[in-house]
Amino acid sequence: MTDRQQEIVAAAGKLLTMEGVGGLTIKNLAREMQFSESAIYRHFDSKEDILVAMLDYLSEELEQRYERVVSVQRPFEEQLRVLFRSVFTFFDGNPHFAVAVFSDGLMEASDRINQAIFRLIHRMRSRLVPLVREGQHRGAVTSSVSAEDLVHIIMGTIRLQMFRWRSEKFDFDIIQSGDHRIDTLTTLIVKK
């Protein structure tokens, strides 16, 4: 994305956070940025394009965070903690991404948005499954449950945590609460 597109995505995120998906219109976005609507259209063809760009940016950001974490050799439990601490820290500083992913009705808004959300989920799942498998191979993670099922549990727990944070209007410390959820998950899946 260009710098201007990133500014537009950030402003769209601010609108999403304040007004929800229904409040994100090109007209409201232009007003928020003090641009003309045509200035927005020079960078994005539609609201849908802005949301897809936001989701693709999030996917890339999470991928980079994953790569930084796994590039350092650590025990599985610590890798999981560091990874999700990084993810929660990102969302804490950018709550509009939580709104983009966890808003009611967003997945039904369009097939392209739905596909962008599924790409994001698939990308994270495709990274976590090998991480858990490696933990199982090393004997650090329970092997009584498949890696795929463990990742489903991990991602479901994180999704519920983020949805709750979004639903409660970001009224609690997502990093601290996220750390607690990861501690609980590692208690369940890491062999002691």
Side-chain angles (χ1 to χ4, degrees):
M1 279 194 294
T2 66
D3 290 343
R4 181 64 73 197
Q5 286 174 319
Q6 287 179 353
E7 287 177 43
I8 293 169
V9 165
K14 182 178 176 185
L15 279 173
L16 275 174
T17 303
M18 293 177 351
E19 300 182 27
V21 176
L24 177 58
T25 64
I26 298 297
K27 183 177 187 164
N28 289 346
L29 185 56
R31 186 178 323 118
E32 173 69 28
M33 296 191 72
Q34 299 178 348
F35 283 3
S36 67
E37 290 179 43
S38 62
I40 303 291
Y41 284 118
R42 277 195 291 271
H43 300 282
F44 291 101
D45 290 336
S46 66
K47 167 182 159 176
E48 178 185 55
D49 287 344
I50 294 169
L51 288 167
V52 169
M54 184 181 292
L55 291 164
D56 288 344
Y57 177 85
L58 174 60
S59 181
E60 190 60 38
E61 177 68 29
L62 295 179
E63 174 79 15
Q64 290 173 14
R65 287 171 182 271
Y66 174 86
E67 290 298 329
R68 281 192 299 267
V69 169
V70 299
S71 69
V72 177
Q73 194 68 13
R74 299 178 175 98
F76 173 81
E77 186 174 352
E78 187 179 340
Q79 274 193 320
L80 202 61
R81 278 194 176 98
V82 171
L83 175 62
F84 282 104
R85 166 58 78 99
S86 176
V87 169
F88 288 128
T89 299
F90 174 78
F91 278 112
D92 186 52
N94 302 279
H96 54 278
F97 284 103
V99 177
V101 176
F102 303 107
S103 287
D104 292 336
L106 187 60
M107 288 182 78
E108 294 80 23
S110 81
D111 285 339
R112 282 187 60 222
I113 292 170
N114 201 19
Q115 290 169 5
I117 291 171
F118 283 127
R119 276 194 309 272
L120 171 65
I121 292 168
H122 176 73
R123 194 171 194 179
M124 293 316 301
R125 189 176 182 286
S126 70
R127 293 305 197 168
L128 289 173
V129 168
L131 183 67
V132 172
R133 278 193 188 131
E134 178 64 23
Q136 288 175 323
H137 177 73
R138 291 182 181 176
V141 177
T142 183
S143 56
S144 61
V145 178
S146 72
E148 291 79 6
D149 286 344
L150 288 175
V151 167
H152 192 83
I153 292 165
I154 292 166
M155 289 181 68
T157 300
I158 301 309
R159 186 182 196 295
L160 181 59
Q161 181 68 14
M162 296 302 297
F163 184 78
R164 184 179 145 235
W165 184 57
R166 158 67 178 107
S167 297
E168 293 182 21
K169 299 186 183 347
F170 316 108
D171 197 32
F172 61 88
D173 185 333
I174 190 61
I175 298 170
Q176 181 182 11
S177 184
D179 285 348
H180 176 73
R181 295 293 168 255
I182 295 303
D183 287 345
T184 301
L185 282 169
T186 57
T187 299
L188 294 172
I189 68 174
V190 172
K191 289 183 178 180
K192 297 293 181 186

